[in-house]
Amino acid sequence: MRGLALICLLILSSTLRAWDAVPQKVADGVYAFIGETGPRTVANEGMNANTGFIITDAGVVVIDSGSSRQVAQKIEATIRKITPQPIKWVINTGGQDHRWLGNSHFAAQGIPVLAHEKTVTDIAERGEMQAESLSRLLGAAFSGTQVQKPTRTFTSRETLTLGKESIELIFAGGGHTPGDSIVWLPRQRVAFSGDIVYVDRLLGVMPMSHVGRWLGSFVALEALQPELIVPGHGAPADRAKARKETHDYLLKLRTHMKQAVDAGDDLQKAIDTLDDKAFAYLPVYPELRGPNASRAYLEAEAE
Ligand SMILES: [Zn+2]
């Protein structure tokens, strides 16, 4: 009996230790993997973010390669169940771990990996550190994962043409990470925003983020007039929700912190007087409001 209980426990824990790789079809030929909005865990394999892929009649484009070699294999296996089309491109929309740590799996097959040049620099600077920290969390589920930088770069705009499909990559200044880029599908009017849009949770301003440039990227995204945004985090959303939960919060942070710096307020006073209660309903607000505010203050102070 003890043996059976142990086997049951092993089966249970192995099912818990899995990112399920079930995609959501969001438009004709367009699929998104919607991750959890909580932290990276062993159970979600570090896929607490959204990624996706586009199927055309001339091949498949993968949007973000996932958090590990194993996750990249699952992405590929999922695509194989839906289409016999070969994978022609992998795009990294930004420099955060789950957007590029699966690169080596695809690059080993000779598939080009495309990203903005600032994402390549970001990975060169932080990639080993990100891999180490995810390896510590995921253990065996991370084994065999290698740091593989993108193999192709673009500077401001790039169009991939596959059959009759155009897939546009747009860089408008980055934001959450320096190379954050938009993948725009003009025919379907769907935008994969990467970490330029967070909904259903408070966004995170990191040491490498820039609130001012992030706002610029958001405005460029909005100007495309997408009918659907697949955000970096949270459920697919319309423009109004993305504006409310990303743009309006960033603008509040930036405006308040610039005024505070101009008034000569110190960091603590600037944080204490920040009225961001309108965003208190968003998960992780209690954890992130302080760090976000202090980074926005430092950015305003440096200008
Ligand atoms: Zn992210």
Side-chain angles (χ1 to χ4, degrees):
M1 272 316 279
R2 271 189 68 189
L4 186 64
L6 185 65
I7 288 164
C8 289
L9 193 68
L10 285 172
I11 291 168
L12 185 67
S13 62
S14 72
T15 54
L16 284 173
R17 282 161 187 269
W19 174 68
D20 62 8
V22 175
Q24 186 177 322
K25 187 173 182 179
V26 295
D28 181 28
V30 185
Y31 295 80
F33 295 109
I34 305 301
E36 294 169 357
T37 49
R40 288 164 185 75
T41 62
V42 172
N44 66 33
E45 295 185 57
M47 290 300 287
N48 60 332
N50 302 336
T51 64
F53 57 93
I54 303 148
I55 300 174
T56 78
D57 54 13
V60 178
V61 176
V62 174
I63 302 174
D64 294 327
S65 62
S67 51
S68 68
R69 185 175 64 109
Q70 277 93 325
V71 164
Q73 285 169 343
K74 285 190 198 178
I75 291 171
E76 184 176 19
T78 300
I79 293 168
R80 287 287 72 88
K81 281 185 224 156
I82 302 174
T83 176
Q85 289 286 346
I87 297 171
K88 288 289 180 67
W89 289 93
V90 172
I91 293 167
N92 298 154
T93 61
Q96 212 165 24
D97 52 4
H98 35 224
R99 309 216 170 273
W100 65 270
L101 272 163
N103 285 356
S104 61
H105 173 72
F106 297 105
Q109 303 174 51
I111 299 166
V113 180
L114 175 63
H116 188 266
E117 55 193 14
K118 287 194 173 175
T119 291
V120 180
T121 311
D122 193 16
I123 291 171
E125 286 169 2
R126 296 191 298 133
E128 291 291 347
M129 181 201 57
Q130 293 186 73
E132 265 169 47
S133 101
L134 211 47
S135 173
R136 263 196 305 277
L137 174 71
L138 299 181
F142 195 77
S143 69
T145 305
Q146 277 161 12
V147 171
Q148 165 72 57
K149 283 186 276 184
T151 58
R152 309 278 181 94
T153 59
F154 74 103
T155 46
S156 61
R157 253 185 127 106
E158 176 90 39
T159 303
L160 300 177
T161 306
L162 289 94
K164 17 184 215 315
E165 206 80 80
S166 287
I167 297 167
E168 293 178 22
L169 276 89
I170 299 162
F171 174 77
H176 179 68
T177 73
D180 281 351
S181 307
I182 300 158
V183 178
W184 169 234
L185 307 171
R187 186 173 69 80
Q188 297 89 344
R189 306 205 68 76
V190 172
F192 281 81
S193 70
D195 286 327
I196 293 164
V197 176
Y198 282 58
V199 296
D200 301 329
R201 55 157 285 192
L202 194 70
L203 60 80
V205 180
M206 316 271 283
M208 81 297 292
S209 304
H210 191 283
V211 176
R213 289 197 285 272
W214 194 337
L215 277 163
S217 292
F218 187 92
V219 169
L221 168 73
E222 229 174 18
L224 299 167
Q225 299 191 293
E227 277 167 19
L228 186 76
I229 297 167
V230 179
H233 300 266
D238 62 12
R239 295 203 293 276
K241 184 172 177 183
R243 171 164 270 268
K244 180 168 174 247
E245 297 188 354
T246 292
H247 172 276
D248 292 357
Y249 174 69
L250 289 171
L251 187 65
K252 165 62 85 177
L253 267 184
R254 182 159 173 87
T255 311
H256 175 82
M257 291 308 171
K258 278 178 104 58
Q259 282 166 355
V261 167
D262 288 347
D265 295 347
D266 66 13
L267 173 63
Q268 194 55 54
K269 184 174 179 199
I271 295 175
D272 291 346
T273 54
L274 172 65
D275 177 12
D276 58 4
K277 285 190 296 294
F279 306 95
Y281 70 98
L282 291 168
V284 299
Y285 170 89
E287 294 88 338
L288 292 185
R289 81 165 294 262
N292 287 353
S294 73
R295 283 172 190 141
Y297 178 89
L298 295 175
E299 180 182 311
E301 198 180 39
E303 280 173 355

